[in-house]
Amino acid sequence: MGAADRVIVVGAGPVGLVTALGLARQGIPVTVLEAEPALTRDLRAGSFHPPTLEMLEPLGITERMLEIGIKVPVWQLRDRREGLVAEFDLRLLERDTRHPYRLHCEQYKLTPIAYELLKEAGGEVLFGTAFIGLNQTDDRVDVVVRDADGERRLQARYVVGADGGRSAVRKALGLDFEGFTWPERFLVVSTEYDLAQHGFAPNAYIADPVEWCAIFQMPHNGPPGLWRVAFPTDTALPDDAVTSPAFCQRLLQSFLPREREYEIAYRSVYRVHQRVASTFRVGRVVLAGDAAHINNPLGGLGLNSGLHDAVNLFEKLGRVWHGTAGEEELDRYVRQRRQTNVEYVQAMSIRNKRLLEEKDPAVRRARLDEMRRIAADPRRAYEHLLNTSMISSVRRAASIQ
């Protein structure tokens, strides 16, 4: 086997590691490049939809996540002033999936599972190794990396860019990242205070024209877990002011007043974008996950969509590698995953945010009333859950040739 007889995956996040694991399980030599010295502890994503759990099952990931995660069969839409607007029960999907629930489990708990399974399958991860650039020929990709010893070159038959929204691989390909940035930053505050005692489901979206928010209960280190609350914040304020204990306390107390102060375990702030790369493939280099598309987190669509990319890609790249399919199989990956992201993930996540933040009273009333009607009609609720659980998007992708 020559030096180029492998796949290089750039990025040891969930998408990169799952892609690498799926390739290694097919007997394909794979090397993952990660600029950081170890797996990162990302506090943002952590809600896994039914089709994602099904896709990760054959890899041995789902079983391990179920042991440490929280099953969430019911999610809510609420209004800050009026309370509960609609409640949706994923058990309506029992004939469509083996996992009729969302599984809440922090993203940083998925990556060690995938990493251990990847090592068992013979894959390698080079930590402290940054991707610098690449050049392609007809039969290989030359990758320039930098580690503690300086710059050097690696060769691969294919490269997968799974290195996040600021993807160096995407930039090296010169691809446009089309879309926009939302005007607010998201502030995520985690507290041990149990919001369930106030009627909140472990996943709830609260509409308000000024301070809408989203709630997720996470397992943390075990029961009772933590409750994450995501708020929009003014970008005119510096990050350190937004993440200050006093500011976080004010937001939580405004959301749900209580006599005692909230104990705050974690807080983080980040910008939110809606962008899709102009293409997901240039020759022997393919993009997946946030490197290819990013969206706001309302609905838990980003991480799941990235993992759907990973599974779709390692299946197709495996067939190309083993000669049972031609290079056009990778173009089919691009058609399926890019079109589905635009049609479903981008459209739905934008719609979710606008529903929560709507300021026009008449439009706001009409939209919330429509959600009430959907939840009250079993047929419409079922169709709505097929969409929001991402089952429809996976079926749509499979239909694209």
Side-chain angles (χ1 to χ4, degrees):
M1 184 179 73
D5 285 332
R6 63 176 160 186
V7 174
I8 288 178
V9 177
V10 183
V15 174
L17 290 174
V18 168
T19 302
L21 174 58
L23 293 170
R25 287 280 180 84
Q26 298 174 78
I28 299 170
V30 60
T31 298
V32 179
L33 309 179
E34 174 53 54
E36 297 298 322
L39 297 176
T40 58
R41 187 180 174 90
D42 194 315
L43 296 173
R44 284 177 288 181
S47 185
F48 296 87
H49 289 299
T52 310
L53 297 172
E54 293 189 1
M55 291 178 187
L56 298 180
E57 218 163 14
L59 298 174
I61 294 174
T62 298
E63 180 181 1
R64 299 193 188 188
M65 290 176 60
L66 287 171
E67 294 174 354
I68 57 177
I70 298 173
K71 290 183 180 180
V72 181
V74 173
W75 62 270
Q76 298 172 337
L77 173 63
R78 304 175 72 95
D79 180 84
R80 192 123 173 191
R81 297 172 176 84
E82 300 178 19
L84 183 64
V85 173
E87 195 165 78
F88 294 94
D89 191 335
L90 277 84
R91 285 167 289 204
L92 286 175
L93 302 177
E94 284 180 337
R95 69 176 183 265
D96 297 279
T97 177
R98 295 186 300 277
H99 302 283
Y101 47 81
R102 294 180 179 181
L103 184 72
H104 286 187
C105 183
E106 293 89 345
Q107 173 179 308
Y108 65 79
K109 294 178 182 173
L110 165 62
T111 47
I113 293 171
Y115 176 49
E116 290 303 319
L117 291 171
L118 174 61
K119 289 192 294 183
E120 291 173 9
E124 65 173 349
V125 178
L126 303 181
F127 289 106
T129 305
F131 169 90
I132 302 300
L134 58 79
N135 289 291
Q136 299 192 56
T137 67
D138 290 340
D139 61 354
R140 72 174 191 271
V141 185
D142 294 318
V143 177
V144 181
V145 302
R146 180 184 296 120
D147 58 19
D149 298 322
E151 288 192 6
R152 59 193 175 103
R153 291 181 179 271
L154 303 175
Q155 293 183 335
R157 202 184 300 181
Y158 297 95
V159 170
V160 176
D163 51 337
R166 299 176 180 176
S167 173
V169 176
R170 186 187 66 244
K171 293 173 182 176
L173 295 174
L175 297 177
D176 291 333
F177 207 26
E178 301 158 353
F180 63 92
T181 300
W182 291 100
E184 315 93 340
R185 282 166 308 185
F186 277 43
L187 169 67
V188 179
V189 184
S190 298
T191 178
E192 291 185 1
Y193 184 68
D194 185 11
L195 300 180
Q197 61 187 307
H198 298 279
F200 292 98
N203 189 187
Y205 304 96
I206 296 89
D208 186 81
V210 179
E211 285 188 348
W212 52 267
C213 59
I215 293 173
F216 306 87
Q217 185 187 16
M218 289 295 163
H220 190 44
N221 296 327
L226 293 175
W227 290 77
R228 288 181 182 173
V229 188
F231 298 99
T233 64
D234 185 352
T235 53
L237 296 172
D239 285 359
D240 57 355
V242 169
T243 57
S244 70
F247 189 87
C248 295
Q249 196 68 225
R250 183 190 70 76
L251 286 180
L252 288 171
Q253 291 287 358
S254 174
F255 163 64
L256 186 64
R258 59 187 296 240
E259 292 181 3
R260 298 178 56 186
E261 285 197 342
Y262 284 88
E263 293 183 3
I264 297 173
Y266 300 108
R267 54 194 185 273
S268 60
V269 65
Y270 56 95
R271 296 303 301 269
V272 180
H273 313 267
Q274 302 280 163
R275 298 185 183 276
V276 183
S278 51
T279 183
F280 292 2
R281 179 191 176 210
V282 176
R284 293 179 170 272
V285 184
V286 188
L287 301 179
D290 284 358
H293 49 79
I294 51 178
N295 57 273
N296 81 71
L298 299 175
L301 306 175
L303 172 60
N304 287 271
S305 180
L307 291 170
H308 298 177
D309 292 348
V311 175
N312 189 306
L313 178 56
F314 74 60
E315 289 175 348
K316 289 179 170 57
L317 185 51
R319 289 193 284 272
V320 174
W321 183 279
H322 290 298
T324 59
E327 294 273 337
E328 64 276 4
E329 188 78 344
L330 299 179
D331 291 328
R332 186 162 168 251
Y333 159 79
V334 176
R335 288 194 298 274
Q336 289 183 336
R337 296 308 309 154
R338 190 178 188 281
Q339 188 168 335
T340 301
N341 189 273
V342 171
E343 288 179 2
Y344 282 86
V345 176
Q346 297 296 321
M348 196 182 307
S349 58
I350 291 171
R351 190 163 58 246
N352 290 343
K353 185 173 182 294
R354 288 180 173 158
L355 172 65
L356 296 188
E357 69 185 5
E358 179 58 51
K359 289 178 170 53
D360 184 297
V363 174
R364 177 185 177 78
R365 170 64 58 186
R367 288 178 177 174
L368 293 180
D369 284 347
E370 175 65 5
M371 294 304 296
R372 289 186 178 95
R373 288 190 289 270
I374 291 172
D377 182 334
R379 181 189 61 81
R380 296 186 72 193
Y382 169 71
E383 293 294 334
H384 186 67
L385 285 166
L386 284 177
N387 283 328
T388 55
S389 71
M390 304 189 78
I391 291 175
S392 291
S393 72
V394 172
R395 292 175 177 174
R396 169 64 176 142
S399 74
I400 298 172
Q401 297 304 309

